[in-house]
């Protein structure tokens, strides 16, 4: 599944946590929606696109298209 960050809804960053040792450092951005976005660099803005919200929305649409057969 390919997704574009431009289509994803923007969420406010609640906190940023540094994870890993030198050379393998990642930043976990905790968002207001409850999802966590892992990036190599710390975001400079106060809100970022939440790819997990976009994926969840796409899956909901996909699941709604499946209907149970009528008896």
């Amino acid at each position: 599944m390919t997704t574009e960050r431009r289509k994803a809804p923007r969420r406010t960053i609640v906190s940023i946590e540094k994870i890993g040792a030198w050379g393998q450092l990642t930043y976990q951005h905790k968002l207001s929606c409850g999802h966590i976005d892992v990036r190599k660099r710390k975001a400079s803005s106060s809100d970022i696109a939440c790819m997990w919200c976009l994926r969840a929305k796409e899956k909901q649409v996909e699941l709604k298209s499946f209907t149970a057969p009528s008896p």
Side-chain angles (χ1 to χ4, degrees):
M1 174 185 346
T2 60
T3 54
E4 295 183 38
R5 285 196 184 273
R6 288 179 282 161
K7 292 181 182 179
R10 298 185 68 80
R11 305 289 187 226
T12 305
I13 298 173
V14 176
S15 66
I16 300 174
E17 190 175 333
K18 225 193 264 192
I19 304 293
W22 186 82
Q24 297 169 355
L25 191 64
T26 58
Y27 291 90
Q28 288 186 346
H29 298 76
K30 294 181 184 176
L31 306 176
S32 60
C33 59
H35 294 124
I36 297 175
D37 189 22
V38 179
R39 296 183 175 198
K40 291 281 183 185
R41 294 189 177 119
K42 184 177 171 181
S44 58
S45 66
S46 62
D47 57 337
I48 58 175
C50 182
M51 296 305 294
W52 290 107
C53 285
L54 179 64
R55 289 182 188 124
K57 184 178 177 184
E58 288 176 353
K59 284 295 179 184
Q60 278 182 336
V61 170
E62 185 179 324
L63 290 175
K64 283 184 182 179
S65 68
F66 295 124
T67 57
S70 310

